[in-house]
């Protein structure tokens, strides 16, 4: 028993030390030097940039896979799916693939600037031994609320009639999202840029305006969970997150937005939609057309030519 008890702190210390080394390796990429050192080893920093970019793109694909994997196995709490009420975009166009590819390729650059800011931000904590509930757990809901405050306003602005046709209309070709992160990033590159860097704005305000001390682990959870929720929002999975009886996330809200655009502008929560008066609840009694539903084998609507052979 004494040996088992002694093992706990040892394992914890080892994990903390190894994680700190990894984070230091990442953070050292943002120093002003042109090379990195590990003992006597010297390697051009550009190699690390390439490796980091590849890892980010791989993580993007893994996240998309996991969103679908967990959804199909009912890990979101419900095995039922959201009925398709809007027209599903069965076939992606060349323009769709161009925007999707460009936005994926732009993600490593965003992560670079995001982590670079964290490296130079004095209120970001990197030491694994300083993890606690105040700097790791508490900032997460604050970051989400701050992100969605600006995102709700941005999203509303993109629906202004004189602007809508130039940018956001492309995303609303899809009335019934189903492809997870693929449908989520199928947006105009300018919209993708504004949406992604809104994460940086939220972090900046929390650190500078609120003077919050935020651990890097908290930021990682915020970004990973946000990416997952954005993916779930663009599937047919009926997913909810409830906290003490209060629904703080419901994928049906974003499904309503894709059918009825002047509503539910928030990405992760409709808290600000309640405040601004743009919230519209999901109505389970809305009509359903059988031909609009998706064939689970093809992922396309039953009216698609591939399902009529």
């Amino acid at each position: 028993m004494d040996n088992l008890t002694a093992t706990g702190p040892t394992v914890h210390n080892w994990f903390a030390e190894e994680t700190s080394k990894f984070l230091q390796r990442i953070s050292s990429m943002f120093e002003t030097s042109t090379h990195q050192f590990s003992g006597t080893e010297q390697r051009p920093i550009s190699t690390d940039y390439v490796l980091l970019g590849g890892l980010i793109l791989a993580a993007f694909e893994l996240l998309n896979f996991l969103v679908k994997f967990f959804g199909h196995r009912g890990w979101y709490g419900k095995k039922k799916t959201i009925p398709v009420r809007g027209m599903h975009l069965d076939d992606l166009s060349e323009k769709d693939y161009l925007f999707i590819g460009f936005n994926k390729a732009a993600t490593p650059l965003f992560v670079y600037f995001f982590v670079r800011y964290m490296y130079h931000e004095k209120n970001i904590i990197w030491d694994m031994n300083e993890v606690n509930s105040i700097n790791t757990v508490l900032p997460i809901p604050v970051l989400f609320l701050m992100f969605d405050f600006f995102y709700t306003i941005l999203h509303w602005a993109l629906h202004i009639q004189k602007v809508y046709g130039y940018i956001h209309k492309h995303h609303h070709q899809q009335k019934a999202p189903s492809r997870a992160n693929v449908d989520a990033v199928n947006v105009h590159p300018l919209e993708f840029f504004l949406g992604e860097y809104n994460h940086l704005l939220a972090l900046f305000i929390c650190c500078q305006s609120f003077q919050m001390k935020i651990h890097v682990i908290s930021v990682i959870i915020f970004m990973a969970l946000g990416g997952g929720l954005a993916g779930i929002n663009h599937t047919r999975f009926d997913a909810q997150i409830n906290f003490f009886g209060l629904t703080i996330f419901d994928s049906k809200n974003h499904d309503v937005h894709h059918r009825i655009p002047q509503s539910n502008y928030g990405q992760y929560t409709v808290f600000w939609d309640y405040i601004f008066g743009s919230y519209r609840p999901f109505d389970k009694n809305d009509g359903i057309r059988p031909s609009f539903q998706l064939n689970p084998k093809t992922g396309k609507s039953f009216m698609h030519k591939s399902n009529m052979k």
Side-chain angles (χ1 to χ4, degrees), residues 5-289:
T5 304
T7 302
T10 302
V11 173
H12 175 269
N13 292 338
W14 174 85
F15 178 78
E17 289 175 3
E18 292 302 312
T19 305
S20 294
K21 289 179 182 178
F22 173 75
L23 292 175
Q24 288 170 7
R25 177 70 180 173
I26 296 296
S27 66
S28 66
M29 295 175 61
F30 305 96
E31 295 175 353
T32 55
S33 61
T34 57
H35 290 79
Q36 295 189 76
F37 298 90
S38 176
T40 58
E41 180 186 359
Q42 183 173 341
R43 182 170 60 178
I45 197 169
S46 59
T47 304
D48 284 336
Y49 287 147
V50 173
L51 291 175
L52 181 61
L55 285 173
I56 292 168
L57 292 175
F60 188 99
E61 298 303 325
L62 176 62
L63 180 64
N64 195 49
F65 168 79
L66 291 177
V67 166
K68 297 177 181 178
F69 178 85
F70 292 137
H72 286 306
R73 282 155 182 76
W75 282 38
Y76 302 139
K78 296 181 179 181
K79 292 188 177 181
K80 66 178 183 178
T81 57
I82 304 171
V84 177
R85 291 186 169 92
M87 181 73 72
H88 182 259
L89 183 64
D90 287 325
D91 298 309
L92 298 177
S93 66
E94 292 183 1
K95 185 177 181 180
D96 291 320
Y97 284 115
L98 176 64
F99 281 4
I100 292 168
F102 182 89
N103 292 336
K104 285 183 178 181
T107 302
L109 185 62
F110 159 70
V111 174
Y112 167 80
F113 286 116
F114 191 81
V115 179
R116 186 179 179 87
Y117 167 74
M118 288 197 296
Y119 176 76
H120 292 286
E121 172 54 63
K122 61 182 177 62
N123 285 323
I124 295 293
I125 303 168
W126 292 79
D127 190 344
M128 286 299 296
N129 292 310
E130 295 186 32
V131 173
N132 59 53
S133 59
I134 301 299
N135 63 34
T136 305
V137 179
L138 179 62
I140 295 175
V142 179
L143 285 166
F144 274 111
L145 283 172
M146 187 55 57
F147 172 90
D148 252 345
F149 173 76
F150 290 103
Y151 184 85
T152 299
I153 296 173
L154 168 65
H155 200 173
W156 166 82
L158 291 174
H159 278 277
I160 295 174
Q161 188 173 1
K162 292 184 178 180
V163 178
Y164 179 72
Y166 294 102
I167 303 175
H168 195 51
K169 184 178 180 180
H170 176 83
H171 187 60
H172 275 275
Q173 294 179 106
Q174 176 63 284
K175 300 293 191 298
S178 67
R179 300 181 181 91
N181 293 82
V182 172
D183 277 346
V185 302
N186 187 11
V187 299
H188 190 286
L190 177 59
E191 178 181 349
F192 183 79
F193 173 87
L194 294 173
E196 288 301 291
Y197 284 85
N198 189 35
H199 295 90
L200 182 54
L201 175 63
L203 182 62
F204 173 82
I205 291 175
C206 287
C207 289
Q208 290 297 309
S209 299
F210 299 161
Q211 287 296 304
M212 294 181 67
K213 298 290 185 181
I214 304 177
H215 199 281
V216 64
I217 295 299
S218 182
V219 182
I220 292 173
I221 294 173
F222 165 59
M223 295 300 294
L225 183 58
L229 294 178
I232 295 171
N233 266 341
H234 292 83
T235 66
R236 308 315 305 161
F237 301 128
D238 188 351
Q240 289 184 356
I241 297 178
N242 298 301
F243 187 73
F244 290 107
L246 178 66
T247 300
I248 58 177
F249 172 83
D250 191 333
S251 59
K252 294 190 293 297
N253 289 326
H254 198 70
D255 184 67
V256 171
H257 172 76
H258 270 265
R259 290 186 292 113
I260 309 170
Q262 282 72 37
S263 64
N264 301 357
Y265 296 113
Q267 176 70 273
Y268 305 125
T269 175
V270 289
F271 173 80
W272 297 111
D273 287 288
Y274 274 112
I275 301 297
F276 298 141
S278 54
Y279 174 66
R280 185 184 184 111
F282 176 84
D283 188 350
K284 64 180 181 180
N285 296 318
D286 282 347
I288 299 174
R289 294 178 60 177

